[in-house]
Amino acid sequence: MAKENQYQRLFRSKVTSAVEQARAAAGFEHQGVKGSVLEALITQLFEPLLPADIGVGTGQIIDSYSGIQSGQIDIILYDKSILPPILVDQRLGIYPIESVLYTIEVKTTLNATELRTAHESAENLATKFGYLPGQRDEKGNEKHHSIEKLRSVIFALNSDLSGTGLSEAERYRNLYQNGTAHLRAICVVGREYWFDNGNFWHGFKTENQYDETLAFIGGISNTYRSVANSRGYPNLGNYIIPPAKFLFQQNHAMLSQ
């Protein structure tokens, strides 16, 4: 691994500021705590530190086949060039699943219940939503092709794990057991970071300040483009055109002239 450079030092300082602001927001005792934490993380951490071609928002995900909608997703990372969301304000909106690259569930304190809820939300997105094809054959017709589904991850400001010796990855493995790990990465600020490469969990418990958060953002930065490239460019009209029947008629009189 390369030695720390000035870019990384400046990046770390921005992460430190953003995390401290989010933790301060989490300390407020009112109903808007989650919203304040999300606002701090979106505006101070993910928007400024992720590549500019990643959109950052919040809201629900939809597919065009069934019209099914997800529950509220804390943070949605999407590619603006694939399909646009419909926004009701600067960030809140409805996002076509074809454009969604990552979903981030934010937890102030990660516990077993929160972990199970995030797993079930990720499973719902992975198994119940369909993707429009984004490639066409030589005649211009849509063709089915391999795509990479969105990646669901967790970002937590704290965890209730203490004295058990378990890592977050081990706790999660105990949850899904012989099933599928629908959550692809877990980051607990100031403590640990783990990601699933499809076969094994890899990660570490942090030693230096916010190494885990740097690794989390770096992991997204290294992988989002391959997810986006697999999607191609679906037809936006599939979301817009009403499900009506088109009638085609031939004017025999005109054809006979």
Side-chain angles (χ1 to χ4, degrees):
M1 182 177 293
K3 293 182 179 180
E4 185 175 66
N5 52 55
Q6 186 63 19
Y7 187 97
Q8 189 181 110
R9 283 191 287 270
L10 288 172
F11 203 99
R12 190 187 299 274
S13 71
K14 291 182 178 295
V15 167
T16 301
S17 175
V19 167
E20 289 177 354
Q21 186 169 334
R23 281 179 164 167
F28 296 152
E29 294 183 0
H30 60 77
Q31 291 183 342
V33 166
K34 186 63 175 286
S36 299
V37 170
L38 292 179
E39 181 71 13
L41 292 176
I42 289 173
T43 60
Q44 302 299 319
L45 186 66
F46 295 113
E47 272 187 343
L49 298 184
L50 285 170
D53 56 342
I54 297 181
V56 184
T58 185
Q60 294 176 283
I61 297 170
I62 189 171
D63 85 8
S64 71
Y65 288 107
S66 63
I68 187 174
Q69 290 182 206
S70 71
Q72 184 76 8
I73 305 296
D74 290 335
I75 297 178
I76 295 171
L77 306 183
Y78 65 99
D79 188 327
K80 309 169 189 178
S81 70
I82 297 174
L83 287 176
I86 296 294
L87 299 177
V88 298
D89 62 20
Q90 187 177 358
R91 298 183 188 88
L92 176 65
I94 299 292
Y95 296 81
I97 194 167
E98 294 82 7
S99 68
V100 178
L101 312 179
Y102 272 84
T103 63
I104 304 175
E105 290 294 322
V106 174
K107 309 297 180 185
T108 52
T109 299
L110 183 60
N111 57 39
T113 300
E114 297 275 23
L115 186 61
R116 180 175 293 279
T117 299
H119 171 77
E120 290 172 352
S121 174
E123 182 178 21
N124 180 59
L125 289 169
T127 60
K128 296 184 179 179
F129 285 70
Y131 292 73
L132 290 171
Q135 295 181 8
R136 292 160 188 82
D137 60 24
E138 61 279 0
K139 295 182 180 179
N141 299 316
E142 292 178 341
K143 68 175 184 179
H144 292 285
H145 58 96
S146 176
I147 64 102
E148 184 172 352
K149 293 184 178 182
L150 65 83
R151 299 186 179 196
S152 297
V153 299
I154 286 183
F155 185 83
L157 296 177
N158 205 346
S159 169
D160 71 345
L161 276 183
S162 61
T164 64
L166 285 177
S167 70
E168 292 293 350
E170 289 169 328
R171 172 157 72 170
Y172 184 44
R173 280 202 304 267
N174 290 339
L175 188 158
Y176 69 82
Q177 297 183 355
N178 295 323
T180 301
H182 292 292
L183 294 170
R184 299 294 302 277
I186 303 171
C187 178
V188 180
V189 174
R191 295 182 61 161
E192 52 190 298
Y193 165 67
W194 301 92
F195 71 93
D196 173 29
N197 72 351
N199 296 304
F200 303 100
W201 283 90
H202 299 269
F204 60 89
K205 293 190 175 182
T206 193
E207 295 180 359
N208 297 320
Q209 188 181 41
Y210 302 128
D211 276 357
E212 75 299 319
T213 306
L214 292 175
F216 179 75
I217 296 175
I220 293 173
S221 298
N222 283 348
T223 54
Y224 81 94
R225 190 167 285 121
S226 66
V227 178
N229 288 342
S230 76
R231 306 287 177 78
Y233 295 95
N235 288 325
L236 177 60
N238 287 312
Y239 279 92
I240 299 174
I241 299 171
K245 294 181 179 180
F246 290 89
L247 300 178
F248 297 91
Q249 296 180 344
Q250 289 183 330
N251 188 325
H252 294 287
M254 291 185 64
L255 290 174
S256 63
Q257 292 177 0

